[in-house]
Amino acid sequence: MEMLVASAIGAMTTAGVYLILRRRSFSVVLGMTMLTYAINAFLFVSGRLVVNQPPILRDHSGDISGYTDPLPQALVLTAIVISFGMTAVVVMMALGAFIEGGDDYIDMPEDDRRMPPLHLVDTTDEPAPAETEKGSQA
């Protein structure tokens, strides 16, 4: 069971990283979603894989093998809410870029890649501050 879950988490992480490295914004959003699923599964599994056990103790006998750790479950619920909000923001940013640019490619246009020429300041006409002080003292 643990090997199956670990393989699924690894596959989701691999797919998420692959999609994030693509050059289209829709693929990036899907990749972030896949990474979120992988992280949520990892957090949920960190509470031990126990089947048909409650997340609370029923008796105070000290036997802790009869329950599931509730903290990872709470963390996963929090992570789901945060990832939903993050995905909504990223989708709105991608939609705005699509509407403004006409496509969903992430690379910059050629005009934006060229850096304007730098203007150098010519300081050869002005004397150095140390020379002016020596010249005024003499």
Side-chain angles (χ1 to χ4, degrees):
M1 179 77 168
E2 287 86 4
M3 188 65 178
L4 179 66
V5 173
S7 298
I9 291 172
M12 283 189 288
T13 303
T14 303
V17 169
Y18 174 76
L19 288 171
I20 283 178
L21 295 177
R22 305 289 295 168
R23 291 186 167 242
R24 306 212 44 166
S25 60
F26 184 70
S27 298
V28 171
V29 171
L30 286 180
M32 287 177 46
T33 305
M34 288 298 289
L35 274 179
T36 302
Y37 290 158
I39 291 169
N40 288 344
F42 175 74
L43 285 174
F44 191 73
V45 169
S46 69
R48 293 183 299 148
L49 291 175
V50 181
V51 181
N52 294 330
Q53 296 295 326
I56 56 173
L57 290 174
R58 290 191 179 162
D59 57 354
H60 300 289
S61 63
D63 183 25
I64 62 169
S65 63
Y67 84 104
T68 304
D69 190 11
L71 183 62
Q73 296 175 12
L75 289 174
V76 167
L77 287 175
T78 305
I80 289 170
V81 172
I82 291 171
S83 66
F84 181 74
M86 179 187 68
T87 302
V89 169
V90 171
V91 164
M92 292 308 294
M93 289 173 55
L95 183 62
F98 175 75
I99 290 172
E100 185 176 325
D103 61 1
D104 68 338
Y105 286 103
I106 295 176
D107 52 346
M108 293 173 38
E110 189 65 36
D111 295 338
D112 292 340
R113 290 185 198 169
R114 283 189 238 120
M115 189 170 171
L118 297 175
H119 300 287
L120 299 175
V121 178
D122 189 20
T123 59
T124 57
D125 297 338
E126 300 174 14
E131 294 176 3
T132 57
E133 291 176 10
K134 290 180 184 177
S136 63
Q137 292 176 356

